[in-house]
Amino acid sequence: MSIYWNKRTKNLSPYVPGEQPRDRKFIKLNTNENPYPPSPKVIEAIQKAAGNELRLYPDPSCMAFREAAAARYGVKPEQVFAGNGSDEVLAFAFGAFFDAHTAILFPDITYSFYPVYANLWDIPYRTVALSDDFSINTDDYKVYSGGVIFPNPNAPTGKAVPLSDILLLAKYLATNEKVLIIDEAYAAFGADSAVPHIGEYPNLLTVHTLSKSASLAGLRLGFAIGSEELIEGLCRIRDSFNSYTVDRLALAGGAAALSDAAYYEDINRRVIATRERVSQALRSLGFSFLPSAANFIFMKAPSLSGADFFAALRERGILARYFNRERIADYLRVSIGTDQEMDVFLGVCGELVGSL
Ligand code: PMP
């Protein structure tokens, strides 16, 4: 605390991101990065952009990137918004579409940045409990609220929500003139995207990131797809904050990534295959886990607390993500790495079960 902080700063409980180790080499399975490199076309585009033109501001409308996204997803560039990572897009969306007078809804177990954004913008919220099997029951969200947000698949559980349920919820929220935000950060690994239905639901915003499925967490680029009126709302917030949140290198690399679907389909198919192989191996070792539609597995060791499991992995050079929270304190979220990395991880899991 400082006497110079205003009330808002004093009242914040900032998000704590997963560890990015600097001094020791770990097998890093804690922040859901893609284990495969970005497309060579992305590197080429960034290298080309890293020249004299860096003295110029980037295009504030991010048009080349929006056009690439529009071509990839079959929408208009006016239905795409680009931001500095999907975290920024989410922060802007909270500011643009949710109000200080009606509580918004999101799951009790979900991306832990949502309550942080709500507090930052003074938006009241109510969490809705996941069912006993950790699924999101969309009927629970069909009550009057200021709007709804959840990821599909949900994080950190990895469980997907049926698209038909999402569309029915969007329809319900439209009758109250409220926005439904679906955070599709991990959708490429197994959930049905709501993007093809954007035209039918002017209150539906999907949020996407290039950090996971496009192997570009270091570039900081995310985007949203929605009706032109929602996109214009996001632009109004951005242009009241910083006109140039996406730099020239990110715009060039991001457009190249979205134009190389074949490369990414291939590497993400490999991530999914590894996830399925690891799931089977964990089952035979006696670990329990939720069926994952994402690039991570939410899992529990037999007779070890989440904290002890986390510490045992860390000691052996493997980083996972542990959330010390009610209902999930026995679980770890483990990102899918390369086959080699996951073999080391499975070896440690086997060792731990053997010593119990
Ligand atoms: N949404 C979810 C559900 C996430 O897990 C993450 C990654 N922490 C993000 C959004 C943000 O991703 P980024 O800012 O890297 O685009």
Side-chain angles (χ1 to χ4, degrees):
M1 281 293 171
S2 160
I3 53 165
Y4 302 112
W5 293 358
N6 64 15
K7 198 166 145 229
R8 179 188 302 118
T9 308
K10 283 180 187 153
N11 287 340
L12 294 177
S13 322
Y15 174 76
V16 182
E19 185 180 347
Q20 294 292 343
R22 286 194 294 177
D23 48 348
R24 184 178 154 193
K25 193 123 183 63
F26 282 97
I27 292 184
K28 208 175 159 297
L29 307 178
N30 66 333
T31 48
N32 300 337
E33 288 134 333
N34 200 307
Y36 300 109
S39 154
K41 290 180 186 158
V42 169
I43 308 299
E44 209 177 289
I46 292 173
Q47 280 168 344
K48 216 165 131 201
N52 183 28
E53 295 208 321
L54 281 179
R55 65 193 180 79
L56 301 174
Y57 283 108
D59 168 16
S61 77
C62 305
M63 198 41 88
F65 173 78
R66 291 164 75 192
E67 281 167 359
R72 165 78 175 269
Y73 292 95
V75 297
K76 292 193 273 183
E78 293 75 23
Q79 293 172 308
V80 180
F81 176 85
N84 192 292
S86 60
D87 279 339
E88 184 181 77
V89 177
L90 289 166
F92 288 172
F94 271 67
F97 309 124
F98 299 150
D99 272 316
H101 49 74
T102 320
I104 62 162
L105 305 177
F106 49 78
D108 60 340
I109 298 165
T110 194
Y111 186 31
S112 38
F113 229 136
Y114 300 156
V116 176
Y117 295 134
N119 286 335
L120 176 66
W121 290 103
D122 274 331
I123 297 160
Y125 64 88
R126 192 162 66 72
T127 58
V128 178
L130 295 183
S131 36
D132 291 342
D133 68 351
F134 289 109
S135 20
I136 291 175
N137 179 355
T138 51
D139 284 341
D140 296 343
Y141 296 79
K142 291 178 187 160
V143 292
Y144 188 77
S145 75
V148 174
I149 178 166
F150 57 79
N152 188 30
N154 193 16
T157 63
K159 284 195 104 174
V161 182
L163 178 59
S164 51
D165 289 356
I166 288 176
L167 299 181
L168 286 172
L169 180 59
K171 194 170 166 188
Y172 170 85
L173 285 164
T175 59
N176 294 329
E177 298 177 0
K178 300 300 178 204
V179 172
L180 172 62
I181 302 177
I182 302 297
D183 179 348
E184 296 196 350
Y186 303 102
F189 301 101
D192 286 329
S193 171
V195 168
H197 301 276
I198 287 301
E200 300 152 54
Y201 301 93
N203 63 327
L204 174 62
L205 188 80
T206 59
V207 177
H208 310 260
T209 177
L210 277 81
S211 299
K212 323 288 180 180
S213 57
S215 302
L216 289 170
L219 199 65
R220 308 307 300 131
L221 188 57
F223 60 103
I225 301 181
S227 59
E228 289 180 45
E229 57 190 302
L230 292 187
I231 299 306
E232 201 184 323
L234 291 171
C235 291
R236 286 173 76 90
I237 295 282
R238 181 206 45 216
D239 295 337
S240 308
F241 170 76
N242 172 3
S243 309
Y244 309 102
T245 68
V246 186
D247 65 63
R248 280 179 170 271
L249 305 185
L251 287 175
L258 291 186
S259 308
D260 197 359
Y263 172 87
Y264 285 109
E265 267 162 32
D266 178 52
I267 63 165
N268 291 329
R269 208 176 298 127
R270 281 155 70 186
V271 171
I272 293 168
T274 306
R275 179 188 74 205
E276 296 309 304
R277 183 176 73 81
V278 170
S279 301
Q280 276 193 11
L282 287 172
R283 191 175 294 119
S284 51
L285 286 170
F287 285 74
S288 41
F289 56 88
L290 302 182
S292 172
N295 66 339
F296 53 82
I297 300 179
F298 201 51
M299 59 179 290
K300 192 159 89 163
S303 30
L304 259 188
S305 72
D308 289 344
F309 187 18
F310 173 84
L313 288 173
R314 198 173 194 288
E315 247 170 55
R316 292 162 180 79
I318 299 173
L319 279 186
R321 189 81 195 252
Y322 169 59
F323 301 93
N324 187 10
R325 289 189 43 199
E326 221 180 301
R327 287 188 83 185
I328 57 169
D330 283 340
Y331 283 81
L332 291 190
R333 191 195 68 193
V334 178
S335 310
I336 301 299
T338 60
D339 277 310
Q340 270 170 330
E341 288 173 328
M342 298 319 282
D343 284 343
V344 176
F345 167 71
L346 287 171
V348 171
C349 287
E351 181 202 324
L352 291 175
V353 181
S355 64
L356 289 175

